Amino acid sequence: MTDTSTAAFVTYEMRGDVALIGLNRPDKRNAISDRFVEEIGRAVERARTQAKAAVLHGHGKHFCAGLDLAEHVRKSPIEGVHGSRRWHEIFGRIEFGPIPWFTALHGAVVGGGLELAASAQVRVADETAFFALPEGQRGIFVGGGGSVRAARLMGVARMTDMMLTGRSVDARQAESWNLVQYVVPAGQAVEKALELAARAATNAELSNYSVINALPRISEMSHADGLFVESFISSFTATSPEAEARLTAFLEKRAPKVTDPGLA
Ligand code: 1HE
């Protein structure tokens, strides 16, 4: 048995409007057991009602070593299917929820750890982060949504290469492959993710909801369907009282201007 402890596998705290959620099974490199994924699920539900944005990070040397292989080795085929579907349900609540999720990545971001990170909207890696999909070497396949989410981020050819060769990818390579949006110095990923999340938390709720829930769907539509759906979401968000207040604030010079990155 690998999972006999009763200590919480997930830490949860509020930083202003942002929920900071930590994977906390460092002795097993945050490997995700059945109990662990349920604890992640409860933290996700809590954040959805309490926070305006969330940051997910890993305690210890690594973000997450993926599926708890010691537990998985004893599963029947149908138990494996139910387990995978449960990961899909919980990670889907991150991918298509009311609040934006930011992951702060360091050390190993491996297998199911990469699948978890791929369900968030924004990934911040520090320079120690490395990414791998060793499922082929373990005799298994991705089961936490990776064949859909990770493949769409980096492309099928790169994911196929990672799974066939067991290749590890460093943070800079991951950024150039679109697996992460930010790379920061070692030890600074949580701070950066919190800063980004705090910024996103100040957006209009309806705008964030539309970004999170409409953009991925529209990207899978035809050109014409995407533009058609966009018009309705655009009009629906722009005619809300919140949009009117924010537009008026800008026109009355009470809202900050867009910054020039060259001057920052
Ligand atoms: C684990 C796991 C795990 C570590 N399940 N126990 N994931 C993998 O194939 C990755 C396997 N892990 C590793 O390659 C390495 O552990 C790491 C590179 C992540 C970290 O190395 P290191 O040197 O810091 O730690 P360690 O000494 O290898 O591991 C420390 C302990 O964590 C050790 O247990 P101990 O009792 O001997 O102390 C390890 O056995 C344990 N541990 N990773 C169980 N994954 C929904 S489908 C998703 C499919 C997948 O995720 S496949 C990828 C699985």
Side-chain angles (χ1 to χ4, degrees):
M1 290 288 287
T2 57
D3 192 4
T4 51
S5 75
T6 51
F9 285 157
V10 172
T11 59
Y12 185 102
E13 58 185 291
M14 289 299 294
R15 297 281 184 93
D17 286 332
V18 178
L20 178 62
I21 295 169
L23 306 178
N24 193 27
R25 196 191 181 198
D27 55 323
K28 296 291 178 189
R29 307 308 185 244
N30 295 328
I32 301 176
S33 59
D34 288 346
R35 177 161 80 84
F36 198 167
V37 80
E38 294 304 327
E39 285 194 35
I40 294 171
R42 283 193 289 279
V44 170
E45 291 313 309
R46 201 171 154 192
R48 284 166 63 109
T49 55
Q50 291 180 345
K52 292 188 174 160
V55 169
L56 188 61
H57 71 109
H59 292 283
K61 276 171 56 185
H62 304 280
F63 174 70
C64 177
L67 179 71
D68 183 333
L69 296 171
E71 189 177 79
H72 200 71
V73 87
R74 292 182 303 273
K75 287 208 164 136
S76 69
I78 193 64
E79 284 171 342
V81 171
H82 290 317
S84 167
R85 296 301 290 160
R86 188 70 185 132
W87 282 45
H88 291 167
E89 274 178 77
I90 291 169
F91 292 6
R93 304 281 286 171
I94 295 173
E95 183 182 24
F96 290 121
I99 61 168
W101 286 78
F102 295 74
T103 49
L105 307 173
H106 75 294
V109 185
V110 169
L114 176 51
E115 296 182 291
L116 174 56
S119 65
Q121 284 75 38
V122 178
R123 284 156 292 283
V124 179
D126 85 8
E127 284 163 346
T128 70
F130 58 96
F131 301 79
L133 293 167
E135 282 82 352
Q137 292 151 280
R138 308 284 178 245
I140 59 177
F141 191 66
V142 284
S147 61
V148 176
R149 297 190 189 101
R152 282 188 184 145
L153 287 175
M154 70 178 122
V156 173
R158 288 180 179 133
M159 180 156 168
T160 302
D161 174 31
M162 284 180 82
M163 292 195 70
L164 290 179
T165 65
R167 166 181 190 174
S168 273
V169 169
D170 67 19
R172 288 284 166 205
Q173 184 90 65
E175 185 186 29
S176 75
W177 282 12
N178 195 39
L179 271 178
V180 303
Q181 289 101 319
Y182 296 85
V183 179
V184 295
Q188 293 183 20
V190 171
E191 187 189 331
K192 180 71 178 177
L194 280 170
E195 174 203 321
L196 297 169
R199 211 183 301 164
T202 66
N203 293 340
E205 204 180 335
L206 190 52
S207 297
N208 277 349
Y209 189 89
S210 302
V211 169
I212 294 162
N213 291 278
L215 278 186
R217 289 185 169 89
I218 290 174
S219 78
E220 288 172 23
M221 292 178 189
S222 70
H223 186 101
D225 289 345
L227 294 179
F228 182 77
V229 170
E230 180 191 88
S231 293
F232 279 80
I233 297 172
S234 172
S235 176
F236 187 68
T237 53
T239 51
S240 66
E242 170 129 29
E244 188 183 336
R246 286 170 180 253
L247 294 170
T248 306
F250 176 76
L251 296 172
E252 292 174 355
K253 307 208 181 299
R254 290 184 282 110
K257 291 185 192 180
V258 172
T259 49
D260 177 344
L263 301 176

